[in-house]
Structure formats: structure tokens, C-alpha cells
Amino acid sequence: MTHPLRDKAAVSGIGETAYTRGTSKSALALQLEASLAAIADAGLSPRDIDGVVPYFPGGGIAEDFIANLGLPDLTLSAFVPMGGATCVAALQMAAMAVATGVCKNVLIAVGRTGYSGARVSTRLQQFPQFALAAEFEAPIGMFAPAQLYAQGARRHMELYGTTPRHFAEVAVTMRRHAILNGNVVMNKPLSVEEHHASRMISDPFRLFDCSLESDGGAAVIVSAADTARSLKQPLVTIMGVAEGHPESPASIAQRPDLLEFGLVKAAARAFPMAGVGPKDMDVAEIYDCFTFTVLRQLEILGFCKTGEGGPFVMDGRIGLGGELPINTHGGLLSQGHVVGLNHVIELVRQLRGAAGKAQIEDAEMGLVTGYGDMGDGSLAIMRRAA
Amino acid sequence: MSTTTAPPAPERPLPTPTRESRPYWDGLREHRLMLQHCAACGKVRHYPRPVCPHCFSMESAFKEAPLGGKVHAWTVCHHPFDFFFKQATPYIVALVDMDAGVRINAPLRNVAEGDLEIGRRLRLAFEPVGKDITLPYFVADQGG
């Protein structure tokens, strides 16, 4: 039986600010700037927005959107507090809202001053979901995701023979894609040698294995597919979408398998909902907080077997023209860090045929993942509809 | 200009024990590893929490556990992320499958990274860092 949400919602508008290091704007201002761009892209007025799902913490809350955009009658306001898995999981919430008629047009928006504002080391103390890490891990010198995820990466290397060369291939490919994009923080070529020579952050992660701390805003509008069909842009529908939470969600250390996280469950729901499989994807936007997490997500998504993520990314397979182009915008590793909403935007752009120099010929179907908060996962599969 | 005062030395981030975790921290202070066991089904759990996720009992007791375990994974921290740890870099943090059935993450001392492998035996040790707080670290297990 067809899932009741399949193809019922569409991403009708996308918007971004410039991605930079250094801004005088607040996270809220960046978030609203991107929101206005997404609303205009859809051919809507701010008055048409009746649902908001802002990224939290950071940026604004529903009241800020009402006050700034003059929203006349907000029927849904919600947070999806899943760290880097937030934005794709928010698509599920928005899809449910528009498919049931609770909302007509839901705005999902991120504003972030990850470079100009609070940096990663201080953020751990601010999130309630990181209370256990703050109590048990920060005092022994484990603060940052780079450190906490490094242990999983080390284990993968020890168990399966994954190497820094595999990590480098992800970093170098993302950079190559970023340079085609234009609106990016990192716009100079990166070589494998430069990756290997970059300073060690938390072994096995070097500097170029880690996503950027950057400033920027991004936003998308989700509308009912029937509504979106009459709007300004080509119709891009959400075929399948899901979120998943791992065992021991607040502590990687206590998870029975460090390498088993929420995307396992999300993938088991989103693919059947979409009625398609990994082989059907023309493009994949994979949450790249670290190079290693891309390898592991490819395994979980079924593009290869567990342990084979390293060899899978080699030989140009994840570059433009390859078997599975990944992060055609440059990702969090090279474009900018807006907790993955830029991945959603890039997938929509590819499926509209509007990705410029990075456009994949005849891209009809693709997926986007979210990954964060110590292992939460989310997955959306989208297609260009007739 | 030499009139500026030196910034205060960075303070070590310390845990704030909760009603659930207090017995664990009290145990470390007494140089004992105290782990939470469900009073109904007997299963051990860590980090401390109010309810047993296996049988949902809210009754539990902390019991002393053996200090040995095997390496599950590790990282070598080069970038400190907190200035307190700058002087200590690079330092190894080992994630250890304790013989008691839980996993503990703590710094590793006097073992070279090149000597590490999954399954290598380590033993928990105790470092008092204040009147109330003692933190764990790992050393080589002399028994193996």
C-alpha cells in the first residue's frame, strides 16, 4: 500500500544568504534574509506562511517570525531539536502539516553565526541533550563532536582497514564541487597531500576532515504538492522522509555499537515509503560534519556494505560524472555550515535542473541525509515530478 | 603597554553530580568504581539514570565493580577545544569495555598510541582534582 505521505508534499521555495566567515548580522537576521529569499523563490508573500520550524538553538523563534514577517495567522510552530539531523527531520514535520491541511506553506529556516558567534567548544554546555556529555566527558577532555566522533572513526579504521586516503577523497571531492558553486567559504583547490598535511585535530580527524565554522542563513518552504504545482518553480516532491534515534542517544560512548546511529532506522522507513532504493538515486547530499561520517552513511544507506565505505568513494565515484555524485554544492566541509539545510537546497536545485556548473544531467531523483546530536539521523528522498 | 593583567588560568571543567549520579562520583572519590544496577532485573547501566530501560524499575543500587577492561576505541586529542587542556595535548582518550559490562571513556596515561589496539587490557585509576571530585583515567593493566 502506498504510504499516505508519499509525494503529498513538495519543496516549493529555497533561499540562502552568502556563506561567509565574518558577518555583522545576527543569526536571526541571517535566518530572516534566507526566509525572504525562499518565499520570493516560491512566488509567495510572507503573508502566505502559516507554519514555521526554525532551527533551535540559535536564530529566532516563532514570535520573531510573526513580528518580522507580519505572519497573519500562524497555525503551526515547532522545533525539531536534533542537531544536524534537524533540517531533514523538519521536512517530515512540514510534510505532515501540509498533507493534513494544518498548514499551506511551512517555512524551515536556519540562521547561524558559527564563526562570528559562539564556537563549538562552548556550545556543548548550552544544549540540554548534551548534559551527559558535559557531566561525564567534558571533564576528561572530550568536548567537541570532532573528539567524540573520532573514536568511532578509529574503530572503523581498525576493524575494516579504512584509511586517511579515503577520508581525503571525500574532502577533496567536496572542495572541487564547492569551487563550481560560487557561494562558498572555501574556494581554493585542495589536494590529497594538503589534506594529509593539515594539522591533526582529534586523531584520526585532521583539520580538513572537519566541517567549517561559518556564518550564514538558509531556508526552504514546504507546500502541499497540489499547491506547489501552481506555484512558480518546477515541482519537486518528497517521496519518502523519516527521522531515527539511536540507542543511547545522548552519549556515543555508551552506544552498544558506536557505528550504529539513527540513520539506520530512518533509512528503513524512508526507502519503503518512497518505494525506491539506493540504486535509483541520481545524486546524494550526505551530511558531512566529518569526512568519515559520509563513508559510514553510504554504508548505512545501502550504497555499499559495512566496512566498504572507504573503497566506495574512490576512483571518482562520488564526483560529478561519477556513479553517485555527492554534495554537489560543497557540503559542510567546503561550502558552509547551516546544519544541513544547504544540502536540502542543493538537492532541490539539482532536481529542478538549476544547479549551474554542478548540474547533473537529467537528475530526476535523489536523497538528502541529516546527522547530528550524537547520532540522530534523518533521510529524505525527493524527485522531480511530471 | 605592560599594565594589562594576565588572564586568569583556565579552570578545569568539572562535573556537577546530580541526584542520579552522586553515588558514582562519591565512589570515584573513594577510589572505587560504583556502577548502577537495577534492583529488579539486576542489569548494570551507565551513565546513571532514574529508570531501568530493560524492566522499567525505578529501584536501583550502586555496586562496586572491577577496574579492568578492554580497549573499544580511542582518539588522540591534539586540538584542546578548552584552554585548560592545552598544556596536556596531545592526550589519548580511551573508550574501554569494562569487565563489569559498561563502557567508560577516560584519558590514558603511560601507554603509547602505537601500543594500542582493540581488545588491549587497561585498568581504571583515580585522580583527585578537588575536594569533592575525582576523575577516572586508564593505565596499562599489569595483569595482562
Side-chain angles (χ1 to χ4, degrees):
Chain A
M1 199 185 102
T2 304
H3 194 286
L5 265 190
R6 187 197 296 185
D7 287 322
K8 291 296 190 294
V11 177
S12 57
I14 55 177
E16 293 170 292
T17 67
Y19 296 125
T20 62
R21 282 188 149 178
T23 179
S24 58
K25 294 171 183 160
S26 67
L28 175 62
L30 291 166
Q31 196 174 25
L32 291 165
E33 182 184 330
S35 298
L36 288 167
I39 291 164
D41 178 74
L44 294 167
S45 148
R47 304 279 185 274
D48 298 316
I49 301 300
D50 53 5
V52 292
V53 186
Y55 177 72
F56 179 83
I61 56 176
E63 287 80 350
D64 294 307
F65 285 82
I66 296 169
N68 283 278
L69 301 180
L71 307 183
D73 191 10
L74 194 65
T75 58
L76 172 79
S77 66
F79 294 134
V80 180
M82 290 172 64
T86 291
C87 292
V88 175
L91 292 175
Q92 177 181 240
M93 176 171 287
M96 291 190 292
V98 298
T100 53
V102 170
C103 295
K104 290 187 176 64
N105 303 294
V106 178
L107 170 64
I108 299 169
V110 172
R112 207 150 177 270
T113 52
Y115 185 83
S116 304
R119 303 290 284 270
V120 64
S121 52
T122 50
R123 289 202 291 267
L124 187 66
Q125 322 295 334
Q126 300 166 350
F127 291 58
Q129 61 268 46
F130 294 157
L132 286 177
E135 180 176 356
F136 292 92
E137 284 154 9
I140 53 111
M142 293 282 272
F143 296 88
Q147 297 171 313
L148 296 159
Y149 286 117
Q151 289 180 327
R154 169 56 60 193
R155 192 165 160 86
H156 199 274
M157 294 169 87
E158 295 290 315
L159 292 180
Y160 306 115
T162 308
T163 68
R165 179 65 187 83
H166 298 140
F167 294 176
E169 190 68 17
V170 175
V172 166
T173 306
M174 299 310 91
R175 185 64 60 85
R176 205 174 290 139
H177 295 169
I179 290 164
L180 295 173
N181 181 300
N183 181 16
V184 298
V185 171
M186 305 300 265
N187 56 12
K188 294 193 177 62
L190 176 71
S191 69
V192 170
E193 294 70 30
E194 285 167 318
H195 167 275
H196 289 350
S198 66
R199 72 189 169 91
M200 197 63 91
I201 300 295
S202 196
D203 193 328
F205 292 153
R206 294 182 176 277
L207 181 67
F208 290 133
D209 290 309
C210 303
S211 54
L212 301 170
E213 294 191 310
S214 61
D215 303 325
V220 304
I221 315 287
V222 175
S223 308
D226 290 343
T227 309
R229 199 180 293 278
S230 62
L231 292 177
K232 194 171 153 191
Q233 301 293 347
L235 185 64
V236 174
T237 62
I238 299 170
M239 304 173 70
V241 62
E243 70 178 55
H245 301 259
E247 223 177 310
S248 184
S251 167
I252 297 170
Q254 300 304 324
R255 193 160 302 153
D257 183 346
L258 297 193
L259 300 170
E260 193 95 343
F261 39 80
L263 186 62
V264 175
K265 297 173 188 172
R269 283 193 277 275
F271 279 120
M273 180 173 166
V276 296
K279 294 274 185 293
D280 299 308
M281 300 299 124
D282 298 314
V283 57
E285 312 296 346
I286 309 278
Y287 196 88
D288 53 339
C289 42
F290 303 101
T291 51
F292 166 72
T293 52
V294 175
L295 307 184
R296 181 58 189 140
Q297 287 176 90
L298 289 170
E299 296 171 353
I300 287 177
L301 290 167
F303 288 105
C304 58
K305 293 198 178 90
T306 286
E308 292 177 0
F312 180 87
V313 301
M314 302 301 289
D315 306 318
R317 199 176 277 127
I318 61 168
L320 290 175
E323 185 182 323
L324 182 72
I326 287 174
N327 296 357
T328 41
H329 55 318
L332 306 177
L333 287 162
S334 277
Q335 187 192 34
H337 201 319
V338 283
V339 285
L341 198 50
N342 48 337
H343 292 77
V344 176
I345 287 168
E346 176 65 8
L347 178 58
V348 171
R349 205 172 263 150
Q350 285 284 351
L351 298 178
R352 284 179 180 177
K357 290 180 194 164
Q359 181 64 46
I360 294 154
E361 203 178 338
D362 298 327
E364 288 183 11
M365 194 183 295
L367 62 77
V368 55
T369 71
Y371 174 77
D373 237 15
M374 308 288 180
D376 288 346
S378 48
L379 171 64
I381 298 156
M382 299 192 210
R383 71 171 160 188
R384 184 177 70 217
Chain B
M1 297 287 285
S2 58
T3 53
T4 52
T5 50
E11 286 176 34
R12 178 190 272 278
L14 291 173
T16 305
T18 63
R19 289 179 187 216
E20 274 80 37
S21 67
R22 170 62 75 187
Y24 170 78
W25 293 111
D26 284 347
L28 291 186
R29 198 181 58 221
E30 296 158 5
H31 290 207
R32 298 194 296 165
L33 175 61
M34 299 298 287
L35 295 177
Q36 189 181 24
H37 289 71
C38 176
C41 74
K43 288 202 169 80
V44 62
R45 61 188 195 250
H46 195 60
Y47 302 130
R49 74 201 73 152
V51 176
C52 173
H54 305 287
C55 75
F56 321 118
S57 167
M58 295 192 74
E59 302 301 318
S60 68
F62 281 77
K63 296 182 188 170
E64 186 165 2
L67 302 181
K70 292 177 180 173
V71 171
H72 188 84
W74 67 91
T75 182
V76 189
C77 301
H78 291 257
H79 183 83
F81 288 100
D82 181 295
F83 284 117
F84 176 84
F85 290 92
K86 194 175 170 68
Q87 61 195 2
T89 57
Y91 57 92
I92 299 173
V93 179
L95 183 58
V96 175
D97 289 317
M98 303 300 289
D99 295 339
V102 304
R103 225 180 268 140
I104 289 188
N105 219 355
L108 174 61
R109 296 189 187 155
N110 302 321
V111 176
E113 194 207 353
D115 293 337
L116 275 177
E117 58 180 355
I118 290 174
R120 185 197 158 122
R121 288 203 63 82
L122 298 176
R123 184 171 53 81
L124 196 75
F126 306 90
E127 181 189 15
V129 296
K131 190 162 62 72
D132 292 325
I133 297 297
T134 293
L135 294 176
Y137 66 97
F138 285 107
V139 293
D141 189 345
Q142 304 304 331

